Amino acid sequence: RKEVEQDPGPFNVPEGATVAFNCTYSNSASQSFFWYRQDCRKEPKLLMSVYSSGNEDGRFTAQLNRASQYISLLIRDSKLSDSATYLCVPPASNYQLIWGAGTKLIIKP
Amino acid sequence: ETGVTQTPRHLVMGMTNKKSLKCEQHLGHNAMYWYKQSAKKPLELMFVYSLEERVENNSVPSRFSPECPNSSHLFLHLHTLQPEDSALYLCASSQEGGGQEKLFFGSGTQLSVL
């Protein structure tokens, strides 16, 4: 099993809809997680940090399920500007951030 | 917002060339990183410097040589690269470098090796 797995998508979602995707991990020692978004040909930018069971920021909710070893990202009332690739990052140990390959999201008008 | 700046944005080089990528962070961070991102693949950590000392080298070929003269600057020296080295090279910085904190990325250098 890969250390981090994400459905590559693309997820094609109509504007205003709710969309959710998961990220599974195999390193059970992970204590905190991050979601980054990356626009086409741009650098990743931090979207959310998750240090406990979950975090909510406006339209975005990130949740952690330790028993099943996955984290999720929920986007409500999706906007055209939410179109991007979403990268999951569960830190392992010292500097060894293991990144998912990302889930591509396309919001359609 | 340009907390981490990278130059050049694009680079085309032959396999016999020598070039350097430059990164500068203006965030007062203590750790800096080089990542490689190939199409549709996860980011690969190449090097990590914390307080100007290299603390991680992920079995990167010697044709990539990092240099960190101070906590604000990071270089990646390139020589005799191969076509498979073509990728987006990203510099990042973080506050502590312990693996638990947020990373701030530069805009990257899109490298093409001919």
Side-chain angles (χ1 to χ4, degrees):
Chain A
R1 181 180 179 181
K2 293 181 184 176
E3 292 196 67
V4 179
E5 292 199 56
Q6 289 187 259
D7 182 340
F11 284 46
N12 291 285
V13 175
E15 189 177 9
T18 295
V19 59
F21 28 84
N22 292 340
C23 167
T24 59
Y25 64 94
S26 59
N27 180 358
S28 60
S30 296
Q31 296 297 311
S32 55
F33 303 84
F34 303 94
W35 281 101
Y36 285 76
R37 68 168 281 167
Q38 185 173 24
D39 294 293
C40 187
R41 300 183 183 278
K42 296 282 185 70
E43 73 276 18
K45 292 185 178 179
L46 181 69
L47 178 67
M48 295 188 75
S49 309
V50 184
Y51 295 104
S52 56
S53 61
N55 191 15
E56 184 173 329
D57 184 5
R59 298 182 294 109
F60 298 84
T61 300
Q63 290 189 314
L64 162 64
N65 185 316
R66 289 191 190 277
S68 301
Q69 293 190 278
Y70 73 86
I71 62 174
S72 62
L73 180 67
L74 178 80
I75 305 174
R76 289 178 295 277
D77 187 24
S78 53
K79 313 289 185 191
L80 295 176
S81 57
D82 294 333
S83 296
T85 296
Y86 290 83
L87 308 176
C88 153
V89 190
S93 59
N94 291 344
Y95 316 107
Q96 287 291 349
L97 298 184
I98 309 298
W99 294 72
T103 296
K104 186 172 184 178
L105 175 64
I106 300 172
I107 305 299
K108 302 199 168 185
Chain B
E1 185 178 324
T2 54
V4 181
T5 56
Q6 274 187 254
T7 55
R9 290 295 304 275
H10 302 275
L11 179 61
V12 179
M13 58 188 289
M15 289 190 284
T16 58
N17 292 156
K18 289 184 179 181
K19 296 286 184 183
S20 295
L21 309 185
K22 178 183 175 182
C23 178
E24 183 176 358
Q25 60 97 0
H26 311 275
L27 301 169
H29 289 165
N30 294 323
M32 297 187 75
Y33 309 72
W34 280 116
Y35 277 91
K36 174 184 178 182
Q37 188 177 35
S38 302
K40 299 192 177 182
K41 290 186 178 179
L43 272 73
E44 300 172 48
L45 178 63
M46 300 176 73
F47 301 103
V48 182
Y49 279 81
S50 180
L51 297 173
E52 302 154 44
E53 288 190 19
R54 190 190 305 181
V55 294
E56 193 69 42
N57 174 0
N58 270 8
S59 302
V60 179
S62 59
R63 56 186 184 268
F64 295 91
S65 175
E67 178 189 358
C68 186
N70 55 62
S71 60
S72 298
H73 293 86
L74 186 64
F75 296 90
L76 188 62
H77 304 298
L78 317 171
H79 64 98
T80 59
L81 294 191
Q82 304 299 311
E84 60 264 30
D85 296 323
S86 299
L88 179 67
Y89 289 84
L90 291 158
C91 172
S93 70
S94 69
Q95 183 61 42
E96 296 293 337
Q100 300 287 323
E101 66 276 7
K102 311 162 194 175
L103 295 182
F104 293 80
F105 286 88
S107 53
T109 295
Q110 186 65 53
L111 174 67
S112 297
V113 181
L114 305 178

